[in-house]
Amino acid sequence: MSHVDEIIEYYDTLAPQYHRKSGYNDLSGTHSHADRFRKLFNGRDVLEIACGTGYWTEIVAKTAKSILATDVNRSMVKQAKKRLSEVYNVEFKVSNAYSLVEIPSGFSGAFSVLWWCFMPKSRIKEFLKTLHSKLKPDSRVSFMCQLADSDAGNHLPDSNGNMIARRMINNRYYSIIKNIPSEEELRNTLAPISTDLKYSKYPVDGLWSVSYSIL
Ligand SMILES: C[S@@+](CC[C@H](N)C(=O)[O-])C[C@H]1O[C@@H](n2cnc3c(N)ncnc32)[C@H](O)[C@@H]1O
């Protein structure tokens, strides 16, 4: 099984517990980055990638004009739909981030939280090309993902330069890509296809974030 498929299966299995295990029940809407995301997408038609149970969807929906929230796992989308059934400006769709089949174009914003680190390095450009094809010029894009944590020392490299973490759920081990890009790597990847690129590290939260406009 490819690493991409293994991540999909891992999160499919985790879906019923994901919201609680992520501490989202206690955080409802009060994440330290919530205001920043609400401002970034104020008034925009937003495409969200890998929405999971919709924690960030709910936050961004407060100010966005509309959100189409996508995730490859039906099990995740089911949880998100149930939680956000009364949020009028959100729609959900099951879709793979690398192909975004059946996703229309014409969005003015896009974001994804806790997704970038799971991409094999070899598929990042393909993902960005597909994502940007759905966006209008001047769209604002943001990604936020994890910095190296205490577990990072246990991750092992594969033969393609990806770092692999081992995770166990329901008595089965999964090999999960966990690449932590440096600021330089992100800038090298994004600079040729973006403008007004801003990168920030938030060590207290264990997160990095990048935002930019597309050309
Ligand atoms: C760590 S969770 C993040 C969920 C949510 N964004 C959050 O911040 O809580 C990673 C998500 O990526 C989704 N995912 C994994 N592979 C994917 C793919 N190829 N395309 C779209 N979503 C994918 C999983 O189903 C899971 O919901």
Side-chain angles (χ1 to χ4, degrees):
M1 188 187 292
S2 74
H3 285 314
V4 165
D5 289 338
E6 201 151 344
I7 289 165
I8 293 173
E9 211 172 301
Y10 172 72
Y11 279 105
D12 186 31
T13 312
L14 196 58
Q17 313 160 40
Y18 179 76
H19 205 76
R20 182 181 50 80
K21 277 202 162 179
S22 302
Y24 288 152
N25 287 330
D26 306 326
L27 265 176
S28 63
T30 63
H31 196 283
S32 50
H33 294 272
D35 275 348
R36 193 166 62 76
F37 270 78
R38 286 190 198 109
K39 278 188 196 129
L40 264 174
F41 297 107
N42 189 8
R44 292 184 184 259
D45 292 309
V46 180
L47 176 60
E48 181 182 1
I49 305 299
C51 65
T53 51
Y55 177 78
W56 288 95
T57 321
E58 188 175 8
I59 285 171
V60 173
K62 296 267 190 256
T63 57
K65 188 170 161 205
S66 71
I67 306 186
L68 178 59
T70 66
D71 196 288
V72 74
N73 278 313
R74 198 168 294 281
S75 49
M76 283 290 187
V77 169
K78 190 174 151 198
Q79 305 278 332
K81 265 189 177 165
K82 197 161 102 189
R83 285 193 343 93
L84 275 66
S85 62
E86 290 176 11
V87 182
Y88 74 95
N89 57 344
V90 176
E91 277 182 50
F92 292 96
K93 202 148 185 104
V94 172
S95 192
N96 191 315
Y98 298 103
S99 53
L100 294 179
V101 170
E102 289 185 23
I103 301 301
S105 49
F107 294 91
S108 52
F111 76 95
S112 193
V113 177
L114 303 182
W115 155 250
W116 186 287
C117 301
F118 301 120
M119 281 193 280
K121 290 183 178 176
S122 61
R123 299 199 68 179
I124 292 175
K125 283 194 178 153
E126 164 198 353
F127 161 69
L128 290 169
K129 193 171 172 198
T130 307
L131 177 66
H132 287 196
S133 75
K134 305 294 180 187
L135 306 178
K136 293 197 288 200
D138 285 337
S139 291
R140 202 68 195 156
V141 182
S142 186
F143 297 104
M144 184 160 77
C145 209
Q146 288 159 322
L147 292 169
D149 58 12
S150 54
D151 186 43
N154 300 321
H155 302 172
L156 294 171
D158 72 2
S159 54
N160 298 309
N162 300 299
M163 296 306 287
I164 309 294
R166 296 258 287 163
R167 295 281 179 269
M168 193 171 78
I169 180 165
N170 295 350
N171 290 325
R172 184 186 146 186
Y173 274 108
Y174 293 83
S175 296
I176 301 296
I177 289 194
K178 205 68 188 291
N179 290 324
I180 315 287
S182 65
E183 175 175 358
E184 191 186 0
E185 279 175 303
L186 284 164
R187 285 190 181 279
N188 286 343
T189 304
L190 294 169
I193 51 171
S194 71
T195 174
D196 192 20
L197 192 150
K198 294 189 176 67
Y199 170 89
S200 305
K201 261 186 190 176
Y202 305 96
V204 173
D205 305 320
L207 296 167
W208 60 263
S209 176
V210 73
S211 60
Y212 59 88
S213 298
I214 65 162
L215 294 171

mmCIF file of all heavy atoms in Angstrom, residues 4 7-9 11-12 14 18-19 22 24 48-56 70-76 95-98 100 111-115 118 144 146, ligand 1:
data_model
loop_
_atom_site.group_PDB
_atom_site.id
_atom_site.type_symbol
_atom_site.label_atom_id
_atom_site.label_comp_id
_atom_site.label_asym_id
_atom_site.label_seq_id
_atom_site.Cartn_x
_atom_site.Cartn_y
_atom_site.Cartn_z
ATOM 1 N N VAL A 4 0.359 7.323 0.617
ATOM 2 C CA VAL A 4 -0.850 8.152 0.460
ATOM 3 C C VAL A 4 -2.089 7.343 0.859
ATOM 4 O O VAL A 4 -2.950 7.823 1.601
ATOM 5 C CB VAL A 4 -0.947 8.668 -1.000
ATOM 6 C CG1 VAL A 4 -2.338 9.208 -1.306
ATOM 7 C CG2 VAL A 4 0.091 9.756 -1.247
ATOM 8 N N ILE A 7 -2.276 6.729 4.720
ATOM 9 C CA ILE A 7 -2.768 7.885 5.493
ATOM 10 C C ILE A 7 -4.297 7.960 5.396
ATOM 11 O O ILE A 7 -4.986 8.219 6.387
ATOM 12 C CB ILE A 7 -2.106 9.191 4.982
ATOM 13 C CG1 ILE A 7 -0.640 9.209 5.379
ATOM 14 C CG2 ILE A 7 -2.823 10.417 5.539
ATOM 15 C CD1 ILE A 7 0.193 10.219 4.654
ATOM 16 N N ILE A 8 -4.805 7.707 4.190
ATOM 17 C CA ILE A 8 -6.267 7.744 4.007
ATOM 18 C C ILE A 8 -6.922 6.712 4.925
ATOM 19 O O ILE A 8 -7.874 7.010 5.656
ATOM 20 C CB ILE A 8 -6.625 7.487 2.518
ATOM 21 C CG1 ILE A 8 -6.134 8.646 1.650
ATOM 22 C CG2 ILE A 8 -8.131 7.284 2.348
ATOM 23 C CD1 ILE A 8 -6.284 8.426 0.147
ATOM 24 N N GLU A 9 -6.382 5.503 4.922
ATOM 25 C CA GLU A 9 -6.977 4.429 5.726
ATOM 26 C C GLU A 9 -6.840 4.718 7.225
ATOM 27 O O GLU A 9 -7.764 4.466 8.006
ATOM 28 C CB GLU A 9 -6.284 3.108 5.369
ATOM 29 C CG GLU A 9 -7.230 1.942 5.522
ATOM 30 C CD GLU A 9 -6.642 0.653 4.989
ATOM 31 O OE1 GLU A 9 -6.299 0.617 3.792
ATOM 32 O OE2 GLU A 9 -6.541 -0.307 5.773
ATOM 33 N N TYR A 11 -6.786 7.639 8.721
ATOM 34 C CA TYR A 11 -7.762 8.637 9.159
ATOM 35 C C TYR A 11 -9.198 8.136 9.022
ATOM 36 O O TYR A 11 -10.078 8.561 9.780
ATOM 37 C CB TYR A 11 -7.536 9.977 8.448
ATOM 38 C CG TYR A 11 -6.431 10.727 9.140
ATOM 39 C CD1 TYR A 11 -5.172 10.813 8.584
ATOM 40 C CD2 TYR A 11 -6.649 11.287 10.398
ATOM 41 C CE1 TYR A 11 -4.142 11.462 9.257
ATOM 42 C CE2 TYR A 11 -5.630 11.937 11.080
ATOM 43 C CZ TYR A 11 -4.380 12.023 10.504
ATOM 44 O OH TYR A 11 -3.367 12.642 11.184
ATOM 45 N N ASP A 12 -9.430 7.233 8.106
ATOM 46 C CA ASP A 12 -10.762 6.628 8.001
ATOM 47 C C ASP A 12 -11.067 5.878 9.304
ATOM 48 O O ASP A 12 -12.156 5.993 9.866
ATOM 49 C CB ASP A 12 -10.780 5.682 6.786
ATOM 50 C CG ASP A 12 -12.164 5.137 6.517
ATOM 51 O OD1 ASP A 12 -13.150 5.850 6.800
ATOM 52 O OD2 ASP A 12 -12.273 4.013 6.024
ATOM 53 N N LEU A 14 -9.676 6.376 12.185
ATOM 54 C CA LEU A 14 -9.652 7.303 13.329
ATOM 55 C C LEU A 14 -10.882 8.211 13.386
ATOM 56 O O LEU A 14 -11.176 8.803 14.438
ATOM 57 C CB LEU A 14 -8.377 8.164 13.207
ATOM 58 C CG LEU A 14 -7.895 8.942 14.422
ATOM 59 C CD1 LEU A 14 -7.621 8.007 15.597
ATOM 60 C CD2 LEU A 14 -6.625 9.728 14.076
ATOM 61 N N TYR A 18 -11.717 11.157 16.102
ATOM 62 C CA TYR A 18 -10.766 12.226 15.768
ATOM 63 C C TYR A 18 -11.064 13.548 16.486
ATOM 64 O O TYR A 18 -10.162 14.175 17.044
ATOM 65 C CB TYR A 18 -10.718 12.447 14.251
ATOM 66 C CG TYR A 18 -9.767 13.559 13.861
ATOM 67 C CD1 TYR A 18 -8.395 13.348 13.875
ATOM 68 C CD2 TYR A 18 -10.232 14.822 13.549
ATOM 69 C CE1 TYR A 18 -7.512 14.365 13.569
ATOM 70 C CE2 TYR A 18 -9.346 15.852 13.233
ATOM 71 C CZ TYR A 18 -7.997 15.613 13.245
ATOM 72 O OH TYR A 18 -7.115 16.630 12.954
ATOM 73 N N HIS A 19 -12.319 13.949 16.494
ATOM 74 C CA HIS A 19 -12.669 15.257 17.068
ATOM 75 C C HIS A 19 -12.316 15.306 18.563
ATOM 76 O O HIS A 19 -11.662 16.232 19.022
ATOM 77 C CB HIS A 19 -14.163 15.528 16.852
ATOM 78 C CG HIS A 19 -14.503 16.980 16.830
ATOM 79 N ND1 HIS A 19 -14.251 17.794 15.750
ATOM 80 C CD2 HIS A 19 -15.059 17.779 17.768
ATOM 81 C CE1 HIS A 19 -14.643 19.016 16.009
ATOM 82 N NE2 HIS A 19 -15.138 19.037 17.235
ATOM 83 N N SER A 22 -8.503 15.067 19.256
ATOM 84 C CA SER A 22 -7.774 16.288 18.901
ATOM 85 C C SER A 22 -8.022 17.399 19.917
ATOM 86 O O SER A 22 -7.471 18.491 19.782
ATOM 87 C CB SER A 22 -8.208 16.781 17.514
ATOM 88 O OG SER A 22 -7.975 15.779 16.562
ATOM 89 N N TYR A 24 -10.764 18.999 20.278
ATOM 90 C CA TYR A 24 -11.608 20.042 19.690
ATOM 91 C C TYR A 24 -12.873 20.305 20.505
ATOM 92 O O TYR A 24 -13.410 21.407 20.469
ATOM 93 C CB TYR A 24 -11.993 19.669 18.256
ATOM 94 C CG TYR A 24 -10.859 19.779 17.255
ATOM 95 C CD1 TYR A 24 -10.841 18.973 16.116
ATOM 96 C CD2 TYR A 24 -9.825 20.697 17.414
ATOM 97 C CE1 TYR A 24 -9.825 19.077 15.171
ATOM 98 C CE2 TYR A 24 -8.801 20.797 16.477
ATOM 99 C CZ TYR A 24 -8.804 19.990 15.360
ATOM 100 O OH TYR A 24 -7.800 20.102 14.436
ATOM 101 N N GLU A 48 -11.851 24.319 1.141
ATOM 102 C CA GLU A 48 -11.027 23.733 2.213
ATOM 103 C C GLU A 48 -10.631 22.307 1.828
ATOM 104 O O GLU A 48 -11.461 21.518 1.376
ATOM 105 C CB GLU A 48 -11.796 23.697 3.545
ATOM 106 C CG GLU A 48 -10.941 23.100 4.667
ATOM 107 C CD GLU A 48 -11.661 22.984 5.995
ATOM 108 O OE1 GLU A 48 -12.840 23.347 6.088
ATOM 109 O OE2 GLU A 48 -11.002 22.495 6.941
ATOM 110 N N ILE A 49 -9.360 22.001 2.029
ATOM 111 C CA ILE A 49 -8.821 20.670 1.734
ATOM 112 C C ILE A 49 -8.623 19.908 3.045
ATOM 113 O O ILE A 49 -8.135 20.477 4.024
ATOM 114 C CB ILE A 49 -7.449 20.803 1.012
ATOM 115 C CG1 ILE A 49 -7.553 21.666 -0.247
ATOM 116 C CG2 ILE A 49 -6.854 19.430 0.701
ATOM 117 C CD1 ILE A 49 -8.490 21.145 -1.314
ATOM 118 N N ALA A 50 -8.982 18.620 3.028
ATOM 119 C CA ALA A 50 -8.772 17.737 4.191
ATOM 120 C C ALA A 50 -9.422 18.325 5.449
ATOM 121 O O ALA A 50 -8.771 18.534 6.469
ATOM 122 C CB ALA A 50 -7.276 17.475 4.399
ATOM 123 N N CYS A 51 -10.719 18.532 5.373
ATOM 124 C CA CYS A 51 -11.438 19.258 6.444
ATOM 125 C C CYS A 51 -11.617 18.430 7.711
ATOM 126 O O CYS A 51 -11.940 18.980 8.766
ATOM 127 C CB CYS A 51 -12.795 19.725 5.940
ATOM 128 S SG CYS A 51 -13.940 18.363 5.546
ATOM 129 N N GLY A 52 -11.430 17.107 7.625
ATOM 130 C CA GLY A 52 -11.627 16.273 8.814
ATOM 131 C C GLY A 52 -13.043 16.439 9.347
ATOM 132 O O GLY A 52 -14.023 16.436 8.584
ATOM 133 N N THR A 53 -13.159 16.637 10.657
ATOM 134 C CA THR A 53 -14.489 16.771 11.279
ATOM 135 C C THR A 53 -15.011 18.202 11.228
ATOM 136 O O THR A 53 -16.020 18.519 11.853
ATOM 137 C CB THR A 53 -14.426 16.292 12.738
ATOM 138 O OG1 THR A 53 -13.312 16.955 13.378
ATOM 139 C CG2 THR A 53 -14.221 14.788 12.824
ATOM 140 N N GLY A 54 -14.304 19.071 10.521
ATOM 141 C CA GLY A 54 -14.831 20.414 10.254
ATOM 142 C C GLY A 54 -14.563 21.448 11.348
ATOM 143 O O GLY A 54 -15.247 22.473 11.401
ATOM 144 N N TYR A 55 -13.558 21.174 12.187
ATOM 145 C CA TYR A 55 -13.264 22.162 13.243
ATOM 146 C C TYR A 55 -12.922 23.526 12.644
ATOM 147 O O TYR A 55 -13.480 24.555 13.047
ATOM 148 C CB TYR A 55 -12.100 21.660 14.122
ATOM 149 C CG TYR A 55 -11.714 22.684 15.170
ATOM 150 C CD1 TYR A 55 -12.483 22.848 16.316
ATOM 151 C CD2 TYR A 55 -10.595 23.502 14.999
ATOM 152 C CE1 TYR A 55 -12.153 23.805 17.267
ATOM 153 C CE2 TYR A 55 -10.257 24.452 15.944
ATOM 154 C CZ TYR A 55 -11.039 24.604 17.082
ATOM 155 O OH TYR A 55 -10.705 25.558 18.009
ATOM 156 N N TRP A 56 -12.030 23.547 11.641
ATOM 157 C CA TRP A 56 -11.627 24.830 11.033
ATOM 158 C C TRP A 56 -12.689 25.350 10.079
ATOM 159 O O TRP A 56 -12.819 26.559 9.878
ATOM 160 C CB TRP A 56 -10.260 24.674 10.357
ATOM 161 C CG TRP A 56 -9.198 24.545 11.395
ATOM 162 C CD1 TRP A 56 -8.668 23.396 11.891
ATOM 163 C CD2 TRP A 56 -8.604 25.618 12.135
ATOM 164 N NE1 TRP A 56 -7.776 23.687 12.902
ATOM 165 C CE2 TRP A 56 -7.716 25.032 13.065
ATOM 166 C CE3 TRP A 56 -8.745 27.007 12.112
ATOM 167 C CZ2 TRP A 56 -6.970 25.809 13.960
ATOM 168 C CZ3 TRP A 56 -7.991 27.781 13.006
ATOM 169 C CH2 TRP A 56 -7.124 27.174 13.902
ATOM 170 N N THR A 70 -13.761 19.826 1.812
ATOM 171 C CA THR A 70 -13.548 18.519 1.181
ATOM 172 C C THR A 70 -12.621 17.645 2.032
ATOM 173 O O THR A 70 -11.746 18.153 2.746
ATOM 174 C CB THR A 70 -12.910 18.686 -0.219
ATOM 175 O OG1 THR A 70 -11.591 19.225 -0.066
ATOM 176 C CG2 THR A 70 -13.730 19.615 -1.092
ATOM 177 N N ASP A 71 -12.839 16.367 1.911
ATOM 178 C CA ASP A 71 -11.947 15.393 2.557
ATOM 179 C C ASP A 71 -12.100 14.084 1.781
ATOM 180 O O ASP A 71 -13.181 13.797 1.270
ATOM 181 C CB ASP A 71 -12.344 15.182 4.025
ATOM 182 C CG ASP A 71 -11.248 14.504 4.833
ATOM 183 O OD1 ASP A 71 -11.020 13.273 4.638
ATOM 184 O OD2 ASP A 71 -10.600 15.173 5.661
ATOM 185 N N VAL A 72 -11.028 13.319 1.717
ATOM 186 C CA VAL A 72 -11.095 12.067 0.960
ATOM 187 C C VAL A 72 -11.945 11.014 1.670
ATOM 188 O O VAL A 72 -12.490 10.117 1.035
ATOM 189 C CB VAL A 72 -9.670 11.532 0.689
ATOM 190 C CG1 VAL A 72 -9.060 10.944 1.953
ATOM 191 C CG2 VAL A 72 -9.642 10.530 -0.433
ATOM 192 N N ASN A 73 -12.039 11.137 2.994
ATOM 193 C CA ASN A 73 -12.739 10.108 3.770
ATOM 194 C C ASN A 73 -14.194 10.483 4.034
ATOM 195 O O ASN A 73 -14.480 11.468 4.721
ATOM 196 C CB ASN A 73 -12.010 9.867 5.095
ATOM 197 C CG ASN A 73 -10.833 8.927 4.923
ATOM 198 O OD1 ASN A 73 -10.960 7.876 4.281
ATOM 199 N ND2 ASN A 73 -9.687 9.305 5.464
ATOM 200 N N ARG A 74 -15.094 9.638 3.514
ATOM 201 C CA ARG A 74 -16.535 9.818 3.756
ATOM 202 C C ARG A 74 -16.824 9.827 5.258
ATOM 203 O O ARG A 74 -17.683 10.551 5.740
ATOM 204 C CB ARG A 74 -17.278 8.658 3.079
ATOM 205 C CG ARG A 74 -18.742 8.872 2.849
ATOM 206 C CD ARG A 74 -19.308 7.801 1.916
ATOM 207 N NE ARG A 74 -18.763 7.902 0.563
ATOM 208 C CZ ARG A 74 -19.175 8.784 -0.338
ATOM 209 N NH1 ARG A 74 -20.140 9.622 -0.040
ATOM 210 N NH2 ARG A 74 -18.627 8.835 -1.539
ATOM 211 N N SER A 75 -16.068 9.000 5.996
ATOM 212 C CA SER A 75 -16.278 8.905 7.453
ATOM 213 C C SER A 75 -16.023 10.251 8.136
ATOM 214 O O SER A 75 -16.734 10.625 9.073
ATOM 215 C CB SER A 75 -15.337 7.843 8.027
ATOM 216 O OG SER A 75 -14.010 8.074 7.557
ATOM 217 N N MET A 76 -15.031 11.002 7.679
ATOM 218 C CA MET A 76 -14.743 12.329 8.241
ATOM 219 C C MET A 76 -15.837 13.315 7.830
ATOM 220 O O MET A 76 -16.341 14.083 8.653
ATOM 221 C CB MET A 76 -13.387 12.844 7.731
ATOM 222 C CG MET A 76 -12.188 12.230 8.402
ATOM 223 S SD MET A 76 -12.020 12.796 10.121
ATOM 224 C CE MET A 76 -10.434 12.077 10.542
ATOM 225 N N SER A 95 -13.638 14.232 -1.609
ATOM 226 C CA SER A 95 -12.748 14.418 -2.758
ATOM 227 C C SER A 95 -11.289 14.253 -2.334
ATOM 228 O O SER A 95 -10.900 14.672 -1.236
ATOM 229 C CB SER A 95 -12.962 15.821 -3.349
ATOM 230 O OG SER A 95 -12.332 15.912 -4.600
ATOM 231 N N ASN A 96 -10.525 13.650 -3.229
ATOM 232 C CA ASN A 96 -9.103 13.444 -2.952
ATOM 233 C C ASN A 96 -8.329 14.721 -3.290
ATOM 234 O O ASN A 96 -8.483 15.266 -4.388
ATOM 235 C CB ASN A 96 -8.595 12.269 -3.805
ATOM 236 C CG ASN A 96 -7.223 11.824 -3.375
ATOM 237 O OD1 ASN A 96 -6.328 12.640 -3.142
ATOM 238 N ND2 ASN A 96 -7.035 10.524 -3.263
ATOM 239 N N ALA A 97 -7.517 15.195 -2.365
ATOM 240 C CA ALA A 97 -6.800 16.467 -2.535
ATOM 241 C C ALA A 97 -5.921 16.500 -3.783
ATOM 242 O O ALA A 97 -5.685 17.564 -4.352
ATOM 243 C CB ALA A 97 -5.936 16.726 -1.300
ATOM 244 N N TYR A 98 -5.428 15.348 -4.202
ATOM 245 C CA TYR A 98 -4.508 15.322 -5.340
ATOM 246 C C TYR A 98 -5.228 15.430 -6.687
ATOM 247 O O TYR A 98 -4.612 15.774 -7.681
ATOM 248 C CB TYR A 98 -3.660 14.048 -5.318
ATOM 249 C CG TYR A 98 -2.793 13.946 -4.088
ATOM 250 C CD1 TYR A 98 -3.140 13.100 -3.046
ATOM 251 C CD2 TYR A 98 -1.643 14.726 -3.961
ATOM 252 C CE1 TYR A 98 -2.362 13.016 -1.903
ATOM 253 C CE2 TYR A 98 -0.860 14.654 -2.824
ATOM 254 C CZ TYR A 98 -1.228 13.794 -1.802
ATOM 255 O OH TYR A 98 -0.460 13.724 -0.666
ATOM 256 N N LEU A 100 -9.003 16.400 -6.811
ATOM 257 C CA LEU A 100 -10.134 17.329 -6.667
ATOM 258 C C LEU A 100 -11.170 17.151 -7.781
ATOM 259 O O LEU A 100 -11.695 18.131 -8.320
ATOM 260 C CB LEU A 100 -9.629 18.784 -6.580
ATOM 261 C CG LEU A 100 -8.803 19.112 -5.334
ATOM 262 C CD1 LEU A 100 -8.337 20.566 -5.339
ATOM 263 C CD2 LEU A 100 -9.579 18.828 -4.045
ATOM 264 N N PHE A 111 -7.781 26.894 2.017
ATOM 265 C CA PHE A 111 -6.917 26.619 3.161
ATOM 266 C C PHE A 111 -6.958 25.138 3.524
ATOM 267 O O PHE A 111 -7.870 24.399 3.121
ATOM 268 C CB PHE A 111 -7.300 27.479 4.376
ATOM 269 C CG PHE A 111 -8.534 27.017 5.108
ATOM 270 C CD1 PHE A 111 -8.436 26.186 6.215
ATOM 271 C CD2 PHE A 111 -9.797 27.403 4.687
ATOM 272 C CE1 PHE A 111 -9.574 25.764 6.899
ATOM 273 C CE2 PHE A 111 -10.940 26.985 5.348
ATOM 274 C CZ PHE A 111 -10.829 26.170 6.462
ATOM 275 N N SER A 112 -5.953 24.757 4.284
ATOM 276 C CA SER A 112 -5.931 23.426 4.859
ATOM 277 C C SER A 112 -5.095 23.440 6.123
ATOM 278 O O SER A 112 -4.006 24.013 6.151
ATOM 279 C CB SER A 112 -5.371 22.411 3.863
ATOM 280 O OG SER A 112 -5.640 21.109 4.340
ATOM 281 N N VAL A 113 -5.613 22.799 7.151
ATOM 282 C CA VAL A 113 -4.904 22.721 8.438
ATOM 283 C C VAL A 113 -4.568 21.252 8.693
ATOM 284 O O VAL A 113 -5.411 20.363 8.480
ATOM 285 C CB VAL A 113 -5.785 23.283 9.580
ATOM 286 C CG1 VAL A 113 -5.079 23.126 10.924
ATOM 287 C CG2 VAL A 113 -6.123 24.751 9.315
ATOM 288 N N LEU A 114 -3.346 21.019 9.133
ATOM 289 C CA LEU A 114 -2.868 19.657 9.459
ATOM 290 C C LEU A 114 -2.987 18.707 8.265
ATOM 291 O O LEU A 114 -3.491 17.589 8.385
ATOM 292 C CB LEU A 114 -3.600 19.092 10.696
ATOM 293 C CG LEU A 114 -3.500 19.933 11.967
ATOM 294 C CD1 LEU A 114 -4.213 19.250 13.121
ATOM 295 C CD2 LEU A 114 -2.036 20.198 12.341
ATOM 296 N N TRP A 115 -2.534 19.201 7.126
ATOM 297 C CA TRP A 115 -2.548 18.380 5.910
ATOM 298 C C TRP A 115 -1.188 18.347 5.229
ATOM 299 O O TRP A 115 -0.703 17.303 4.791
ATOM 300 C CB TRP A 115 -3.630 18.905 4.947
ATOM 301 C CG TRP A 115 -3.386 18.593 3.505
ATOM 302 C CD1 TRP A 115 -3.046 19.481 2.520
ATOM 303 C CD2 TRP A 115 -3.425 17.307 2.872
ATOM 304 N NE1 TRP A 115 -2.869 18.826 1.329
ATOM 305 C CE2 TRP A 115 -3.103 17.490 1.523
ATOM 306 C CE3 TRP A 115 -3.707 16.008 3.330
ATOM 307 C CZ2 TRP A 115 -3.044 16.449 0.610
ATOM 308 C CZ3 TRP A 115 -3.645 14.965 2.428
ATOM 309 C CH2 TRP A 115 -3.331 15.181 1.086
ATOM 310 N N PHE A 118 1.513 15.608 5.650
ATOM 311 C CA PHE A 118 1.232 14.233 5.227
ATOM 312 C C PHE A 118 1.483 14.003 3.748
ATOM 313 O O PHE A 118 1.326 12.878 3.262
ATOM 314 C CB PHE A 118 -0.227 13.874 5.533
ATOM 315 C CG PHE A 118 -0.563 13.982 6.988
ATOM 316 C CD1 PHE A 118 -1.552 14.839 7.424
ATOM 317 C CD2 PHE A 118 0.122 13.239 7.929
ATOM 318 C CE1 PHE A 118 -1.855 14.960 8.760
ATOM 319 C CE2 PHE A 118 -0.169 13.346 9.273
ATOM 320 C CZ PHE A 118 -1.166 14.206 9.688
ATOM 321 N N MET A 144 -1.583 25.488 7.421
ATOM 322 C CA MET A 144 -0.981 25.461 8.760
ATOM 323 C C MET A 144 -0.755 23.999 9.121
ATOM 324 O O MET A 144 -1.636 23.154 8.901
ATOM 325 C CB MET A 144 -1.902 26.133 9.773
ATOM 326 C CG MET A 144 -1.297 26.235 11.159
ATOM 327 S SD MET A 144 -2.097 27.497 12.177
ATOM 328 C CE MET A 144 -3.594 26.638 12.641
ATOM 329 N N GLN A 146 2.119 21.098 11.542
ATOM 330 C CA GLN A 146 2.905 20.966 12.766
ATOM 331 C C GLN A 146 4.406 21.227 12.591
ATOM 332 O O GLN A 146 4.988 20.869 11.556
ATOM 333 C CB GLN A 146 2.722 19.564 13.329
ATOM 334 C CG GLN A 146 1.353 19.366 13.912
ATOM 335 C CD GLN A 146 0.974 17.897 13.993
ATOM 336 O OE1 GLN A 146 1.288 17.109 13.112
ATOM 337 N NE2 GLN A 146 0.289 17.546 15.050
HETATM 338 C C1 LIG B 1 -4.873 15.475 10.722
HETATM 339 S S1 LIG B 1 -6.400 15.407 9.865
HETATM 340 C C2 LIG B 1 -6.773 17.143 9.709
HETATM 341 C C3 LIG B 1 -8.241 17.415 9.687
HETATM 342 C C4 LIG B 1 -8.633 18.879 9.858
HETATM 343 N N1 LIG B 1 -8.108 19.698 8.789
HETATM 344 C C5 LIG B 1 -8.148 19.410 11.181
HETATM 345 O O1 LIG B 1 -7.312 20.320 11.200
HETATM 346 O O2 LIG B 1 -8.612 18.909 12.205
HETATM 347 C C6 LIG B 1 -5.903 14.960 8.227
HETATM 348 C C7 LIG B 1 -7.089 14.821 7.284
HETATM 349 O O3 LIG B 1 -6.586 14.584 5.962
HETATM 350 C C8 LIG B 1 -7.516 13.744 5.312
HETATM 351 N N2 LIG B 1 -6.838 13.164 4.145
HETATM 352 C C9 LIG B 1 -5.865 12.229 4.114
HETATM 353 N N3 LIG B 1 -5.480 11.995 2.859
HETATM 354 C C10 LIG B 1 -6.214 12.805 2.051
HETATM 355 C C11 LIG B 1 -6.279 13.011 0.649
HETATM 356 N N4 LIG B 1 -5.486 12.339 -0.195
HETATM 357 N N5 LIG B 1 -7.160 13.923 0.171
HETATM 358 C C12 LIG B 1 -7.977 14.612 1.023
HETATM 359 N N6 LIG B 1 -7.968 14.450 2.357
HETATM 360 C C13 LIG B 1 -7.096 13.557 2.875
HETATM 361 C C14 LIG B 1 -7.917 12.748 6.375
HETATM 362 O O4 LIG B 1 -9.122 12.066 6.066
HETATM 363 C C15 LIG B 1 -8.034 13.669 7.596
HETATM 364 O O5 LIG B 1 -9.347 14.156 7.740
#
